[in-house]
Each structure stands twice: as structure tokens, then as C-alpha cells.
mmCIF file of all heavy atoms in Angstrom:
data_model
loop_
_atom_site.group_PDB
_atom_site.id
_atom_site.type_symbol
_atom_site.label_atom_id
_atom_site.label_comp_id
_atom_site.label_asym_id
_atom_site.label_seq_id
_atom_site.Cartn_x
_atom_site.Cartn_y
_atom_site.Cartn_z
ATOM 1 N N GLY A 10 10.166 -0.211 -11.767
ATOM 2 C CA GLY A 10 8.775 -0.028 -12.354
ATOM 3 C C GLY A 10 7.744 -0.121 -11.317
ATOM 4 O O GLY A 10 6.781 0.707 -11.265
ATOM 5 N N SER A 11 7.846 -1.080 -10.354
ATOM 6 C CA SER A 11 6.890 -1.119 -9.242
ATOM 7 C C SER A 11 7.577 -1.878 -8.201
ATOM 8 O O SER A 11 8.446 -2.627 -8.273
ATOM 9 C CB SER A 11 5.611 -1.736 -9.637
ATOM 10 O OG SER A 11 5.769 -3.033 -10.170
ATOM 11 N N ILE A 12 6.914 -1.812 -6.967
ATOM 12 C CA ILE A 12 7.314 -2.662 -5.776
ATOM 13 C C ILE A 12 6.083 -3.171 -5.277
ATOM 14 O O ILE A 12 4.958 -2.620 -5.225
ATOM 15 C CB ILE A 12 8.068 -1.854 -4.723
ATOM 16 C CG1 ILE A 12 8.324 -2.745 -3.497
ATOM 17 C CG2 ILE A 12 7.243 -0.601 -4.323
ATOM 18 C CD1 ILE A 12 9.210 -1.994 -2.457
ATOM 19 N N THR A 13 5.995 -4.557 -4.909
ATOM 20 C CA THR A 13 4.870 -5.252 -4.415
ATOM 21 C C THR A 13 5.291 -5.916 -3.126
ATOM 22 O O THR A 13 6.222 -6.530 -3.009
ATOM 23 C CB THR A 13 4.405 -6.307 -5.363
ATOM 24 O OG1 THR A 13 4.065 -5.612 -6.649
ATOM 25 C CG2 THR A 13 3.121 -6.977 -4.973
ATOM 26 N N ILE A 14 4.419 -5.723 -2.117
ATOM 27 C CA ILE A 14 4.448 -6.231 -0.822
ATOM 28 C C ILE A 14 3.378 -7.207 -0.535
ATOM 29 O O ILE A 14 2.205 -6.776 -0.648
ATOM 30 C CB ILE A 14 4.667 -5.155 0.285
ATOM 31 C CG1 ILE A 14 5.922 -4.140 0.051
ATOM 32 C CG2 ILE A 14 4.746 -5.779 1.687
ATOM 33 C CD1 ILE A 14 5.536 -3.071 -0.764
ATOM 34 N N HIS A 15 3.731 -8.406 -0.187
ATOM 35 C CA HIS A 15 2.643 -9.385 0.221
ATOM 36 C C HIS A 15 2.782 -9.648 1.693
ATOM 37 O O HIS A 15 3.840 -9.982 2.235
ATOM 38 C CB HIS A 15 2.899 -10.704 -0.397
ATOM 39 C CG HIS A 15 2.870 -10.798 -1.995
ATOM 40 N ND1 HIS A 15 1.840 -11.227 -2.698
ATOM 41 C CD2 HIS A 15 3.899 -10.314 -2.873
ATOM 42 C CE1 HIS A 15 2.231 -10.998 -3.959
ATOM 43 N NE2 HIS A 15 3.418 -10.513 -4.070
ATOM 44 N N VAL A 16 1.601 -9.375 2.413
ATOM 45 C CA VAL A 16 1.569 -9.657 3.853
ATOM 46 C C VAL A 16 0.305 -10.410 4.106
ATOM 47 O O VAL A 16 -0.782 -9.819 3.817
ATOM 48 C CB VAL A 16 1.502 -8.285 4.633
ATOM 49 C CG1 VAL A 16 1.465 -8.543 6.031
ATOM 50 C CG2 VAL A 16 2.784 -7.380 4.259
ATOM 51 N N ASP A 17 0.464 -11.533 4.637
ATOM 52 C CA ASP A 17 -0.709 -12.445 4.789
ATOM 53 C C ASP A 17 -1.543 -12.517 3.503
ATOM 54 O O ASP A 17 -0.948 -12.841 2.485
ATOM 55 C CB ASP A 17 -1.576 -12.046 6.068
ATOM 56 C CG ASP A 17 -0.908 -12.376 7.359
ATOM 57 O OD1 ASP A 17 0.058 -13.214 7.368
ATOM 58 O OD2 ASP A 17 -1.133 -11.769 8.282
ATOM 59 N N ASN A 18 -2.788 -12.003 3.449
ATOM 60 C CA ASN A 18 -3.616 -12.106 2.361
ATOM 61 C C ASN A 18 -3.746 -10.743 1.597
ATOM 62 O O ASN A 18 -4.588 -10.535 0.846
ATOM 63 C CB ASN A 18 -4.938 -12.737 2.623
ATOM 64 C CG ASN A 18 -4.883 -14.158 3.062
ATOM 65 O OD1 ASN A 18 -4.133 -14.874 2.478
ATOM 66 N ND2 ASN A 18 -5.768 -14.572 3.929
ATOM 67 N N ILE A 19 -2.828 -9.727 2.003
ATOM 68 C CA ILE A 19 -2.860 -8.441 1.390
ATOM 69 C C ILE A 19 -1.730 -8.226 0.411
ATOM 70 O O ILE A 19 -0.598 -8.687 0.708
ATOM 71 C CB ILE A 19 -2.776 -7.423 2.729
ATOM 72 C CG1 ILE A 19 -3.872 -7.709 3.537
ATOM 73 C CG2 ILE A 19 -2.716 -6.059 1.968
ATOM 74 C CD1 ILE A 19 -3.687 -6.898 4.927
ATOM 75 N N ILE A 20 -2.096 -7.706 -0.741
ATOM 76 C CA ILE A 20 -1.096 -7.339 -1.647
ATOM 77 C C ILE A 20 -1.090 -5.808 -1.958
ATOM 78 O O ILE A 20 -2.116 -5.256 -2.321
ATOM 79 C CB ILE A 20 -1.345 -8.114 -3.019
ATOM 80 C CG1 ILE A 20 -1.290 -9.613 -2.833
ATOM 81 C CG2 ILE A 20 -0.260 -7.708 -4.021
ATOM 82 C CD1 ILE A 20 -1.902 -10.410 -4.040
ATOM 83 N N VAL A 21 0.068 -5.210 -1.663
ATOM 84 C CA VAL A 21 0.228 -3.726 -1.907
ATOM 85 C C VAL A 21 1.167 -3.507 -2.918
ATOM 86 O O VAL A 21 2.356 -4.062 -2.888
ATOM 87 C CB VAL A 21 0.536 -2.985 -0.562
ATOM 88 C CG1 VAL A 21 0.863 -1.619 -0.771
ATOM 89 C CG2 VAL A 21 -0.352 -3.189 0.562
ATOM 90 N N THR A 22 0.811 -2.702 -3.972
ATOM 91 C CA THR A 22 1.611 -2.355 -5.144
ATOM 92 C C THR A 22 1.745 -0.888 -5.191
ATOM 93 O O THR A 22 0.825 -0.217 -5.208
ATOM 94 C CB THR A 22 1.257 -3.034 -6.414
ATOM 95 O OG1 THR A 22 1.073 -4.442 -6.244
ATOM 96 C CG2 THR A 22 2.117 -2.697 -7.544
ATOM 97 N N ALA A 23 3.037 -0.450 -5.294
ATOM 98 C CA ALA A 23 3.190 0.968 -5.625
ATOM 99 C C ALA A 23 3.912 1.106 -6.945
ATOM 100 O O ALA A 23 4.987 0.373 -7.116
ATOM 101 C CB ALA A 23 4.150 1.652 -4.551
ATOM 102 N N VAL A 24 3.359 1.787 -7.933
ATOM 103 C CA VAL A 24 3.828 1.974 -9.297
ATOM 104 C C VAL A 24 4.634 3.205 -9.448
ATOM 105 O O VAL A 24 4.060 4.223 -8.871
ATOM 106 C CB VAL A 24 2.734 1.737 -10.236
ATOM 107 C CG1 VAL A 24 3.108 2.021 -11.599
ATOM 108 C CG2 VAL A 24 1.899 0.494 -10.001
ATOM 109 N N ARG A 25 5.779 3.067 -10.112
ATOM 110 C CA ARG A 25 6.556 4.349 -10.411
ATOM 111 C C ARG A 25 5.695 5.458 -10.919
ATOM 112 O O ARG A 25 4.746 5.283 -11.747
ATOM 113 C CB ARG A 25 7.642 3.956 -11.433
ATOM 114 C CG ARG A 25 8.501 4.988 -11.806
ATOM 115 C CD ARG A 25 9.430 4.571 -12.888
ATOM 116 N NE ARG A 25 10.352 5.609 -13.179
ATOM 117 C CZ ARG A 25 11.609 5.689 -12.913
ATOM 118 N NH1 ARG A 25 12.130 4.697 -12.114
ATOM 119 N NH2 ARG A 25 12.392 6.602 -13.115
ATOM 120 N N SER A 26 5.903 6.566 -10.334
ATOM 121 C CA SER A 26 5.282 7.851 -10.682
ATOM 122 C C SER A 26 3.800 7.963 -10.354
ATOM 123 O O SER A 26 3.160 8.985 -10.671
ATOM 124 C CB SER A 26 5.358 8.110 -12.247
ATOM 125 O OG SER A 26 6.796 8.083 -12.604
ATOM 126 N N GLU A 27 3.128 7.036 -9.676
ATOM 127 C CA GLU A 27 1.795 7.103 -9.113
ATOM 128 C C GLU A 27 2.007 7.706 -7.579
ATOM 129 O O GLU A 27 1.522 7.033 -6.831
ATOM 130 C CB GLU A 27 1.074 5.792 -9.099
ATOM 131 C CG GLU A 27 0.680 5.336 -10.481
ATOM 132 C CD GLU A 27 -0.081 4.015 -10.520
ATOM 133 O OE1 GLU A 27 -0.485 3.455 -9.433
ATOM 134 O OE2 GLU A 27 -0.522 3.644 -11.528
ATOM 135 N N ASN A 28 2.523 8.852 -7.476
ATOM 136 C CA ASN A 28 2.915 9.355 -6.279
ATOM 137 C C ASN A 28 1.546 9.610 -5.354
ATOM 138 O O ASN A 28 0.507 10.028 -5.900
ATOM 139 C CB ASN A 28 3.485 10.957 -6.386
ATOM 140 C CG ASN A 28 4.812 10.708 -7.015
ATOM 141 O OD1 ASN A 28 5.304 9.635 -7.504
ATOM 142 N ND2 ASN A 28 5.605 11.888 -7.013
ATOM 143 N N GLY A 29 1.743 9.200 -4.199
ATOM 144 C CA GLY A 29 0.668 9.339 -3.144
ATOM 145 C C GLY A 29 -0.475 8.238 -3.250
ATOM 146 O O GLY A 29 -1.414 8.278 -2.534
ATOM 147 N N MET A 30 -0.276 7.371 -4.151
ATOM 148 C CA MET A 30 -1.123 6.185 -4.322
ATOM 149 C C MET A 30 -0.544 4.847 -4.252
ATOM 150 O O MET A 30 0.658 4.745 -4.566
ATOM 151 C CB MET A 30 -1.862 6.345 -5.790
ATOM 152 C CG MET A 30 -2.522 7.588 -6.244
ATOM 153 S SD MET A 30 -4.087 7.764 -5.371
ATOM 154 C CE MET A 30 -4.908 6.483 -6.291
ATOM 155 N N VAL A 31 -1.269 3.985 -3.770
ATOM 156 C CA VAL A 31 -0.914 2.552 -3.775
ATOM 157 C C VAL A 31 -2.132 1.688 -4.241
ATOM 158 O O VAL A 31 -3.185 2.167 -4.157
ATOM 159 C CB VAL A 31 -0.404 2.031 -2.476
ATOM 160 C CG1 VAL A 31 0.889 2.737 -2.008
ATOM 161 C CG2 VAL A 31 -1.516 2.209 -1.391
ATOM 162 N N ARG A 32 -1.795 0.504 -4.642
ATOM 163 C CA ARG A 32 -3.005 -0.434 -5.003
ATOM 164 C C ARG A 32 -2.977 -1.495 -3.950
ATOM 165 O O ARG A 32 -2.043 -2.230 -3.807
ATOM 166 C CB ARG A 32 -2.600 -1.108 -6.342
ATOM 167 C CG ARG A 32 -2.582 0.040 -7.461
ATOM 168 C CD ARG A 32 -2.099 -0.631 -8.745
ATOM 169 N NE ARG A 32 -1.908 0.477 -9.780
ATOM 170 C CZ ARG A 32 -1.514 0.241 -10.941
ATOM 171 N NH1 ARG A 32 -1.299 -1.058 -11.423
ATOM 172 N NH2 ARG A 32 -1.307 1.183 -11.849
ATOM 173 N N VAL A 33 -4.079 -1.543 -3.229
ATOM 174 C CA VAL A 33 -4.248 -2.610 -2.185
ATOM 175 C C VAL A 33 -5.272 -3.588 -2.753
ATOM 176 O O VAL A 33 -6.367 -3.283 -2.975
ATOM 177 C CB VAL A 33 -4.811 -2.027 -0.883
ATOM 178 C CG1 VAL A 33 -5.014 -3.078 0.103
ATOM 179 C CG2 VAL A 33 -3.868 -0.946 -0.312
ATOM 180 N N ASN A 34 -4.651 -4.804 -2.936
ATOM 181 C CA ASN A 34 -5.521 -5.979 -3.588
ATOM 182 C C ASN A 34 -6.268 -5.390 -4.774
ATOM 183 O O ASN A 34 -7.443 -5.602 -5.124
ATOM 184 C CB ASN A 34 -6.509 -6.505 -2.606
ATOM 185 C CG ASN A 34 -5.872 -7.231 -1.395
ATOM 186 O OD1 ASN A 34 -4.707 -7.627 -1.590
ATOM 187 N ND2 ASN A 34 -6.551 -7.350 -0.248
ATOM 188 N N ASN A 35 -5.441 -4.787 -5.714
ATOM 189 C CA ASN A 35 -5.849 -4.152 -7.099
ATOM 190 C C ASN A 35 -6.879 -3.044 -6.961
ATOM 191 O O ASN A 35 -7.341 -2.669 -7.888
ATOM 192 C CB ASN A 35 -6.440 -5.230 -7.932
ATOM 193 C CG ASN A 35 -5.331 -5.926 -8.649
ATOM 194 O OD1 ASN A 35 -4.277 -5.349 -8.891
ATOM 195 N ND2 ASN A 35 -5.544 -7.194 -9.143
ATOM 196 N N CYS A 36 -7.036 -2.398 -5.722
ATOM 197 C CA CYS A 36 -7.882 -1.243 -5.541
ATOM 198 C C CYS A 36 -6.998 -0.078 -5.354
ATOM 199 O O CYS A 36 -6.256 -0.070 -4.320
ATOM 200 C CB CYS A 36 -8.904 -1.406 -4.607
ATOM 201 S SG CYS A 36 -10.158 -2.744 -5.004
ATOM 202 N N CYS A 37 -7.027 0.994 -6.083
ATOM 203 C CA CYS A 37 -6.240 2.108 -5.887
ATOM 204 C C CYS A 37 -6.595 2.917 -4.673
ATOM 205 O O CYS A 37 -8.030 3.099 -4.361
ATOM 206 C CB CYS A 37 -6.332 3.123 -7.105
ATOM 207 S SG CYS A 37 -5.443 2.537 -8.485
ATOM 208 N N SER A 38 -5.832 3.362 -3.920
ATOM 209 C CA SER A 38 -6.048 3.985 -2.576
ATOM 210 C C SER A 38 -5.067 5.133 -2.255
ATOM 211 O O SER A 38 -3.895 5.082 -2.714
ATOM 212 C CB SER A 38 -5.916 3.020 -1.331
ATOM 213 O OG SER A 38 -6.844 1.988 -1.453
ATOM 214 N N HIS A 39 -5.546 6.177 -1.697
ATOM 215 C CA HIS A 39 -4.766 7.314 -1.201
ATOM 216 C C HIS A 39 -4.197 6.878 0.124
ATOM 217 O O HIS A 39 -4.694 6.043 0.780
ATOM 218 C CB HIS A 39 -5.403 8.596 -1.191
ATOM 219 C CG HIS A 39 -5.887 9.094 -2.417
ATOM 220 N ND1 HIS A 39 -5.084 9.916 -3.097
ATOM 221 C CD2 HIS A 39 -7.146 9.056 -3.150
ATOM 222 C CE1 HIS A 39 -5.624 10.298 -4.294
ATOM 223 N NE2 HIS A 39 -6.883 9.746 -4.363
ATOM 224 N N LEU A 40 -2.940 7.440 0.431
ATOM 225 C CA LEU A 40 -2.417 7.190 1.768
ATOM 226 C C LEU A 40 -3.058 8.154 2.817
ATOM 227 O O LEU A 40 -3.473 9.157 2.457
ATOM 228 C CB LEU A 40 -0.912 7.495 1.722
ATOM 229 C CG LEU A 40 -0.126 6.626 0.576
ATOM 230 C CD1 LEU A 40 1.270 6.930 0.643
ATOM 231 C CD2 LEU A 40 -0.411 5.143 0.778
ATOM 232 N N LEU A 41 -3.189 7.689 3.886
ATOM 233 C CA LEU A 41 -2.859 6.877 4.994
ATOM 234 C C LEU A 41 -3.749 5.631 4.904
ATOM 235 O O LEU A 41 -4.892 5.801 4.916
ATOM 236 C CB LEU A 41 -2.899 7.636 6.271
ATOM 237 C CG LEU A 41 -2.679 6.844 7.550
ATOM 238 C CD1 LEU A 41 -1.320 6.466 7.902
ATOM 239 C CD2 LEU A 41 -3.332 7.576 8.746
ATOM 240 N N ILE A 42 -3.057 4.519 5.132
ATOM 241 C CA ILE A 42 -3.811 3.272 5.194
ATOM 242 C C ILE A 42 -3.273 2.403 6.388
ATOM 243 O O ILE A 42 -2.148 2.225 6.549
ATOM 244 C CB ILE A 42 -3.643 2.383 3.868
ATOM 245 C CG1 ILE A 42 -4.014 3.284 2.645
ATOM 246 C CG2 ILE A 42 -4.260 1.092 3.822
ATOM 247 C CD1 ILE A 42 -3.478 2.606 1.267
ATOM 248 N N SER A 43 -4.366 1.821 7.017
ATOM 249 C CA SER A 43 -4.035 0.993 8.160
ATOM 250 C C SER A 43 -4.781 -0.372 7.960
ATOM 251 O O SER A 43 -5.961 -0.405 7.728
ATOM 252 C CB SER A 43 -4.441 1.645 9.419
ATOM 253 O OG SER A 43 -4.252 0.748 10.515
ATOM 254 N N LEU A 44 -3.936 -1.454 7.927
ATOM 255 C CA LEU A 44 -4.536 -2.745 7.741
ATOM 256 C C LEU A 44 -4.223 -3.740 8.906
ATOM 257 O O LEU A 44 -3.353 -3.453 9.530
ATOM 258 C CB LEU A 44 -4.007 -3.239 6.315
ATOM 259 C CG LEU A 44 -4.263 -2.428 5.071
ATOM 260 C CD1 LEU A 44 -3.399 -2.890 4.013
ATOM 261 C CD2 LEU A 44 -5.631 -2.356 4.643
ATOM 262 N N SER A 45 -4.855 -5.001 8.889
ATOM 263 C CA SER A 45 -4.521 -5.998 9.865
ATOM 264 C C SER A 45 -4.482 -5.430 11.264
ATOM 265 O O SER A 45 -3.577 -5.578 11.987
ATOM 266 C CB SER A 45 -3.168 -6.710 9.477
ATOM 267 O OG SER A 45 -3.208 -7.414 8.317
ATOM 268 N N HIS A 46 -5.639 -4.638 11.607
ATOM 269 C CA HIS A 46 -5.792 -4.034 12.882
ATOM 270 C C HIS A 46 -4.716 -3.167 13.314
ATOM 271 O O HIS A 46 -4.211 -3.227 14.460
ATOM 272 C CB HIS A 46 -6.106 -5.132 13.857
ATOM 273 C CG HIS A 46 -7.138 -6.129 13.483
ATOM 274 N ND1 HIS A 46 -8.505 -5.792 13.517
ATOM 275 C CD2 HIS A 46 -7.096 -7.491 13.046
ATOM 276 C CE1 HIS A 46 -9.236 -6.833 12.984
ATOM 277 N NE2 HIS A 46 -8.309 -7.784 12.797
ATOM 278 N N GLY A 47 -4.118 -2.496 12.423
ATOM 279 C CA GLY A 47 -3.139 -1.547 12.768
ATOM 280 C C GLY A 47 -1.681 -2.050 12.738
ATOM 281 O O GLY A 47 -0.615 -1.373 12.788
ATOM 282 N N LYS A 48 -1.549 -3.419 12.392
ATOM 283 C CA LYS A 48 -0.209 -3.915 12.333
ATOM 284 C C LYS A 48 0.604 -3.577 11.014
ATOM 285 O O LYS A 48 1.703 -3.894 10.985
ATOM 286 C CB LYS A 48 -0.283 -5.470 12.584
ATOM 287 C CG LYS A 48 -0.758 -5.893 13.917
ATOM 288 C CD LYS A 48 -0.786 -7.434 14.068
ATOM 289 C CE LYS A 48 -1.201 -7.742 15.414
ATOM 290 N NZ LYS A 48 -1.364 -9.270 15.546
ATOM 291 N N PHE A 49 -0.195 -3.208 9.976
ATOM 292 C CA PHE A 49 0.414 -2.858 8.812
ATOM 293 C C PHE A 49 -0.085 -1.531 8.341
ATOM 294 O O PHE A 49 -1.257 -1.377 7.957
ATOM 295 C CB PHE A 49 -0.162 -4.008 7.851
ATOM 296 C CG PHE A 49 0.425 -3.993 6.400
ATOM 297 C CD1 PHE A 49 1.580 -3.454 6.069
ATOM 298 C CD2 PHE A 49 -0.319 -4.568 5.418
ATOM 299 C CE1 PHE A 49 2.023 -3.400 4.745
ATOM 300 C CE2 PHE A 49 -0.007 -4.554 4.074
ATOM 301 C CZ PHE A 49 1.197 -3.991 3.700
ATOM 302 N N ARG A 50 0.788 -0.577 8.278
ATOM 303 C CA ARG A 50 0.401 0.762 7.971
ATOM 304 C C ARG A 50 1.227 1.334 6.733
ATOM 305 O O ARG A 50 2.430 0.930 6.739
ATOM 306 C CB ARG A 50 0.724 1.812 9.118
ATOM 307 C CG ARG A 50 -0.193 1.343 10.377
ATOM 308 C CD ARG A 50 0.105 2.158 11.569
ATOM 309 N NE ARG A 50 1.087 3.169 11.407
ATOM 310 C CZ ARG A 50 1.200 4.471 11.874
ATOM 311 N NH1 ARG A 50 0.060 4.861 12.490
ATOM 312 N NH2 ARG A 50 2.200 5.274 11.690
ATOM 313 N N ILE A 51 0.495 2.131 5.966
ATOM 314 C CA ILE A 51 1.208 2.685 4.755
ATOM 315 C C ILE A 51 0.846 4.201 4.826
ATOM 316 O O ILE A 51 -0.307 4.645 4.924
ATOM 317 C CB ILE A 51 0.592 2.194 3.483
ATOM 318 C CG1 ILE A 51 0.736 0.631 3.492
ATOM 319 C CG2 ILE A 51 1.437 2.708 2.246
ATOM 320 C CD1 ILE A 51 -0.173 0.008 2.509
ATOM 321 N N TYR A 52 1.856 5.139 4.856
ATOM 322 C CA TYR A 52 1.696 6.547 4.837
ATOM 323 C C TYR A 52 2.742 7.143 4.140
ATOM 324 O O TYR A 52 3.770 6.626 3.832
ATOM 325 C CB TYR A 52 1.474 7.030 6.297
ATOM 326 C CG TYR A 52 2.636 6.667 7.232
ATOM 327 C CD1 TYR A 52 3.652 7.478 7.527
ATOM 328 C CD2 TYR A 52 2.530 5.388 7.905
ATOM 329 C CE1 TYR A 52 4.671 7.078 8.402
ATOM 330 C CE2 TYR A 52 3.559 5.044 8.752
ATOM 331 C CZ TYR A 52 4.524 5.994 9.056
ATOM 332 O OH TYR A 52 5.539 5.528 10.030
ATOM 333 N N GLN A 53 2.594 8.523 3.782
ATOM 334 C CA GLN A 53 3.538 9.268 3.137
ATOM 335 C C GLN A 53 4.573 9.826 4.068
ATOM 336 O O GLN A 53 4.167 10.471 5.155
ATOM 337 C CB GLN A 53 2.848 10.325 2.364
ATOM 338 C CG GLN A 53 3.775 10.972 1.309
ATOM 339 C CD GLN A 53 3.196 11.338 0.090
ATOM 340 O OE1 GLN A 53 2.063 11.105 -0.220
ATOM 341 N NE2 GLN A 53 3.950 12.159 -0.804
ATOM 342 N N LYS A 54 5.765 9.924 3.909
ATOM 343 C CA LYS A 54 6.921 10.453 4.662
ATOM 344 C C LYS A 54 7.660 11.326 3.703
ATOM 345 O O LYS A 54 8.475 10.701 2.890
ATOM 346 C CB LYS A 54 7.661 9.480 5.383
ATOM 347 C CG LYS A 54 8.652 10.096 6.242
ATOM 348 C CD LYS A 54 9.408 8.882 7.129
ATOM 349 C CE LYS A 54 10.396 9.644 7.974
ATOM 350 N NZ LYS A 54 11.028 8.669 8.849
ATOM 351 N N GLY A 55 7.397 12.690 3.737
ATOM 352 C CA GLY A 55 8.114 13.412 2.730
ATOM 353 C C GLY A 55 7.648 13.123 1.318
ATOM 354 O O GLY A 55 6.463 13.085 1.045
#
């Protein structure tokens, strides 16, 4: 149904069928995202 990744104080959730979108700390965002000074990146691959 969804996958949630916790990294330090950041919570990223990707919900089934919300293609191209993720929720970062409960705020919907389009990809490409770079967090923690580039140590944590989220992008679309295919």
C-alpha cells in the first residue's frame, strides 16, 4: 500500500499509484528531491 523511509528527522512516504509523487514530512512533493545537504536524494528512474 505504501513504503515509508525514516532518515534522521525526515519521513518520506510513497503511496501506491501516486506515481511521480512522494510525501516528505507529510507534504506532497514531485521528484527530484535532495535532502540533508545532498546525502539523501529521491528521483525517478524509469
